[in-house]
Amino acid sequence: MASNFPGSERQGHPLLHVQKLSKHYVRGREWGKSVAVTAVCDVDFEIHAGQTLALVGASGAGKSTVARCVARLERPDSGEIWLDGTDIARLNSRDLLPIRSNIQMIFQDAETSMNPRFSAAEVIEEPLQIQGASRSERRDIATAVMREVGLPAEWLKRPVLEFSGGQQQRLAIARALSTRPKMLVLDEALSSLDLSTQAQIANLLLDLQSAHSMAYLLISHDLTLVARMADVLSVMSDGRIVEMGATQQVIADPKHAQTQRLLASARAAESKFDLASGASA
Ligand code: ADP
Ligand code: MG
């Protein structure tokens, strides 16, 4: 089946195909009644191997909920999540186990996803242990992925807390790579890094993507980064995707008011930055 997905000239099946994804949360009780929040409503998108789709939108738009559902850290209320030919939307935890090696998530703060007292080796080997890899297999892979993310293999014995922010994010990437995933979900993964570290990690992710043909779901509020990394840009507002297309096309000719607002505030922030750097020059 030929794909007519915007921004994609590729033919054939996408690696990830999300259809009508919806998720609500029940938030507390008001006047004796529970209040439901629709976090994500009827979201559709697809990502091909080697391709990056960015999800942008204001805080609370539903981006992280999409990410957590796609990585199956949460179960959606309804919809389908086809990953490499399997609908993973309703799988139970036992059936998800072999799928987990195919899709890995990287969060904004490495600290929240890694025990700071663990050694780098323990952090990287954790998902492999869950998958039942042998000790020597785990060690070999840990050494290989450290090298892939540009960290010396001798540091495998060091505790996470001795790594800098950028190095911790490299470690998080190394751990994600350990199971040789076909897809990475990056939820603001570069947001807490300084600009030059951010640029280095972005380059690393681009290199790894072309080396392994991984698909990326990239969530970021940074449109400069999105413009650099994403093939397809989709804009979320109130739980729905309101605009989607080839990144350069959406940036050059935004149709939806929400997209126009996001671009305007990004340009305002950029010109402030230019002024600041001009003043300090
Ligand atoms: P984003 O990542 O775009 O900022 P989220 O997906 O985190 O948005 O949140 C979407 C909506 O769902 C928000 O209204 C948020 O408050 C709500 N929400 C997210 N997670 C939970 C949760 N665990 N319990 C209750 N409400 C939640
Ligand atoms: Mg979020």
Side-chain angles (χ1 to χ4, degrees):
M1 189 182 74
S3 170
N4 54 6
F5 188 62
S8 166
E9 291 81 46
R10 289 164 195 258
Q11 304 285 303
H13 292 290
L15 180 73
L16 177 79
H17 192 173
V18 172
Q19 285 178 297
K20 295 222 167 288
L21 182 72
S22 297
K23 173 82 186 168
H24 80 281
Y25 293 105
V26 176
R27 193 190 279 159
R29 286 188 156 263
E30 281 172 27
W31 304 102
K33 283 187 185 157
S34 53
V35 181
V37 182
T38 302
V40 171
C41 187
D42 281 346
V43 159
D44 296 313
F45 61 88
E46 54 184 59
I47 313 180
H48 285 263
Q51 198 187 40
T52 297
L53 178 136
L55 266 187
V56 303
S59 172
K63 307 178 297 295
S64 292
T65 305
V66 170
R68 290 195 304 265
C69 286
V70 165
R72 274 310 313 275
L73 304 179
E74 290 203 54
R75 193 189 163 109
D77 298 339
S78 58
E80 294 168 18
I81 303 167
W82 291 90
L83 179 70
D84 205 19
T86 306
D87 181 8
I88 63 169
R90 323 231 92 63
L91 294 185
N92 60 32
S93 50
R94 196 196 43 178
D95 293 336
L96 274 173
L97 191 61
I99 306 290
R100 296 237 179 262
S101 56
N102 252 342
I103 182 159
Q104 296 280 1
M105 185 152 168
I106 299 173
F107 300 89
Q108 175 163 2
D109 296 300
E111 297 151 17
T112 58
S113 55
M114 303 190 289
N115 185 331
R117 268 173 278 279
F118 274 20
S119 68
E122 285 173 302
V123 160
I124 294 174
E125 292 179 28
E126 206 176 21
L128 293 167
Q129 206 159 4
I130 295 167
Q131 298 293 333
S134 73
R135 197 184 151 79
S136 68
E137 220 177 331
R138 296 198 312 259
R139 276 296 138 108
D140 288 349
I141 293 172
T143 307
V145 292
M146 282 289 274
R147 201 167 298 137
E148 274 194 80
V149 301
L151 292 172
E154 303 81 71
W155 290 11
L156 276 168
K157 292 196 187 76
R158 283 195 190 181
V160 171
L161 52 82
E162 288 183 15
F163 288 72
S164 71
Q167 288 163 350
Q168 286 185 3
Q169 221 45 327
R170 285 181 193 265
L171 202 52
I173 296 168
R175 177 172 63 175
L177 290 179
S178 70
T179 60
R180 294 292 168 219
K182 292 188 173 158
M183 161 135 215
L184 293 185
V185 178
L186 303 149
D187 190 354
E188 299 283 6
L190 308 183
S191 302
S192 54
L193 304 173
D194 63 77
L195 280 181
S196 75
T197 310
Q198 200 178 71
Q200 288 165 18
I201 304 280
N203 283 338
L204 172 66
L205 287 167
L206 288 169
D207 289 347
L208 291 168
Q209 182 171 48
S210 50
H212 301 295
S213 249
M214 284 184 287
Y216 290 169
L217 173 60
L218 174 74
I219 293 169
S220 177
H221 64 271
D222 180 349
L223 283 164
T224 311
L225 182 78
V226 164
R228 194 158 157 239
M229 290 191 66
D231 305 283
V232 177
L233 173 54
S234 44
V235 182
M236 277 190 86
S237 178
D238 289 332
R240 293 175 184 272
I241 290 182
V242 295
E243 180 157 6
M244 174 154 56
T247 303
Q248 298 311 328
Q249 200 177 314
V250 173
I251 288 175
D253 185 21
K255 304 277 189 233
H256 195 276
Q258 181 62 24
T259 317
Q260 290 163 358
R261 269 197 293 276
L262 286 170
L263 283 166
S265 61
R267 293 210 171 97
E270 216 170 88
S271 67
K272 245 184 252 163
F273 179 72
D274 286 347
L275 285 176
S277 59
S280 64

